Structure formats: C-alpha cells, structure tokens
Amino acid sequence: MSWLKKRIPKQLLRWAPLLLMLVFPVLGSLYQLVNQPTDNVYSLVTPLDRATPFIKYFAVPYGVWIFYIYVCIVYFFFRDRPSFYRSIFLYTVCALTCYVIYMVFQTTVPRPVVTGNDPFAMLSRFIYNRDEPFNCFPSIHCFSSYMVMRMIWKSPARNGKNVTLITGMSLLIIVSTLFMKQHVIMDVIGAVALVEIYNFLFIKLPEWHRNKMASERRELQA
C-alpha cells in the first residue's frame, strides 16, 4: 500500500475520507427495498398527534433535510475529524437498525389531502409522492438531525454560532416531521433513543474502558 500512497498526490489523500459518504446513496438504495407496505401495519398516533395541524410551510425544512445532514458532516470533516467518522458510523448503524425495525414493525401515519398550487403545497405533494406513508418508527429524519446536533454539542470545534445554527436547524427539521404529518411523537422519541443507545455502546462505553485502562496503567507505574 505504501507504493500506492506515493503515487497519489497528498492533496488528494487529504480528501479521501470523504469517500465514506458514498454510504449514503447505498443506504438510500436499501431503503427503497423496505419502503413497501407489509401485511401488518401499525399506528402509533396519539391524541396529541391528531391535534397537531398540518402546516405546509414546514415542507421546506423537511425537504432540505438530507442536504443539511451532508453539510453538517462535511463541516465536521474540516473542523472535527473524529466527529466526522462518528457521524458516518452512527448514521449507518442507526439507518440499518431502522430498516430492520421497518421490516418487522411497520407503522404508518395518516396524511391529509394537500390542496392548492402554491410552491409549499406543490412541495408537500412532491414529498408525499416520493415517499410512501410507511416506515415511520423510528424517524430517519429525526435520528440524523438529532445526531448532528448532539455531535456539535460535544465537539471541540463548537462555538456559539455553529451550536446555534445546527441546533436550530435540527430542531426545525424534527418539528417539521410532525407538522408535515410524516411522523408522530413516538417516532421522534424512538429516533432520539436510537442515537443515545448506539452512542453509549459504541462511543461512550469504549471511551470509558480506555480511560479506565489508562488509569490502571498509571497506577501500576506510580
């Protein structure tokens, strides 16, 4: 491999980790395989969800979701490389877990009939036509938005501006899933829980173990 590295310009090697983002179109293709109704479709709609109105203007933050996630991850690539790798990993395991859940516990959310020919109504209908009203719990929109928000909270690159921007946009996208009638409260809760569980298992727990081992080594050397 050393001979190969010598033949690749160093400037190009610096950008090589961005190739990990090719996992997104792969996961998108896998999603299409599970974006179909199964024999048993469940509902997690609560009275609060029924009382939540449909607001077509939230189609905008809902629609820009995946581009927003890309921007955040690329930002981590330049400003906080560990968070870049963690984001790619967490997104992948969370998305695959969602797909498994969708296959065994598929939920649906009733959608309203969208009328009007203004841009927001047309965008809402485009979103509805593009995505079947299944595979709601947990919400992919919500787990990924919560994930990048959580990452910036803990990132050494955080500052007032990026924390405010990412937190604000993530919360807006999460809320948009409810006002667009694409998801319900339980979908949001499940998404947050998913990120927290995997963050603990794959990030916090190994860090705790490494710190414990390092502390024991220092005690032995003392």
Side-chain angles (χ1 to χ4, degrees):
M1 292 299 293
S2 58
W3 65 270
L4 182 60
K5 289 183 178 179
K6 291 178 180 178
R7 286 164 174 76
I8 299 177
K10 290 183 178 180
Q11 196 69 19
L12 191 59
L13 284 175
R14 289 178 55 194
W15 294 82
L18 284 174
L19 292 174
L20 291 172
M21 294 186 69
L22 291 174
V23 73
F24 289 107
V26 174
L27 291 171
S29 298
L30 291 177
Y31 177 77
Q32 296 306 316
L33 299 177
V34 298
N35 190 28
Q36 304 292 334
T38 58
D39 293 335
N40 296 311
V41 181
Y42 304 91
S43 174
L44 297 176
V45 177
T46 66
L48 180 59
D49 295 305
R50 294 189 188 96
T52 302
F54 168 76
I55 303 177
K56 61 186 175 182
Y57 305 110
F58 280 93
V60 176
Y62 187 92
V64 302
W65 154 74
I66 193 60
F67 302 104
Y68 164 72
I69 298 300
Y70 291 163
V71 169
C72 287
I73 292 177
V74 171
Y75 178 78
F76 288 137
F77 173 79
F78 289 106
R79 298 297 303 275
D80 180 7
R81 195 62 64 88
S83 289
F84 168 78
Y85 292 119
R86 289 170 182 169
S87 296
I88 296 287
F89 176 76
L90 277 179
Y91 186 99
T92 301
V93 295
C94 285
L96 291 175
T97 300
C98 286
Y99 299 167
V100 173
I101 294 173
Y102 298 158
M103 288 189 290
V104 298
F105 183 73
Q106 190 177 76
T107 62
T108 186
V109 178
R111 293 171 168 176
V113 175
V114 183
T115 59
N117 293 312
D118 60 278
F120 301 103
M122 289 190 291
L123 179 57
S124 297
R125 286 195 293 270
F126 172 79
I127 291 171
Y128 283 0
N129 291 332
R130 186 175 179 273
D131 196 9
E132 295 289 339
F134 306 103
N135 301 341
C136 302
F137 176 86
S139 166
I140 294 176
H141 269 66
C142 293
F143 92 64
S144 53
S145 298
Y146 176 74
M147 178 194 73
V148 294
M149 178 171 66
R150 199 185 191 290
M151 284 290 174
I152 197 63
W153 288 349
K154 301 294 183 180
S155 173
R158 68 184 182 276
N159 56 53
K161 183 179 294 185
N162 58 26
V163 168
T164 300
L165 287 173
I166 292 177
T167 299
M169 189 61 190
S170 289
L171 291 176
L172 186 61
I173 290 173
I174 291 171
V175 169
S176 77
T177 67
L178 303 177
F179 286 117
M180 278 295 293
K181 294 297 184 177
Q182 286 285 88
H183 291 282
V184 295
I185 295 293
M186 288 304 298
D187 300 338
V188 178
I189 294 173
V192 171
L194 193 62
V195 173
E196 289 296 333
I197 290 169
Y198 281 135
N199 184 73
F200 175 76
L201 290 176
F202 295 121
I203 297 177
K204 289 298 181 183
L205 203 57
E207 284 181 355
W208 175 82
H209 180 70
R210 286 195 299 269
N211 292 336
K212 181 181 179 182
M213 296 298 292
S215 177
E216 290 177 354
R217 284 195 297 268
R218 287 193 297 269
E219 290 177 1
L220 290 174
Q221 295 172 356

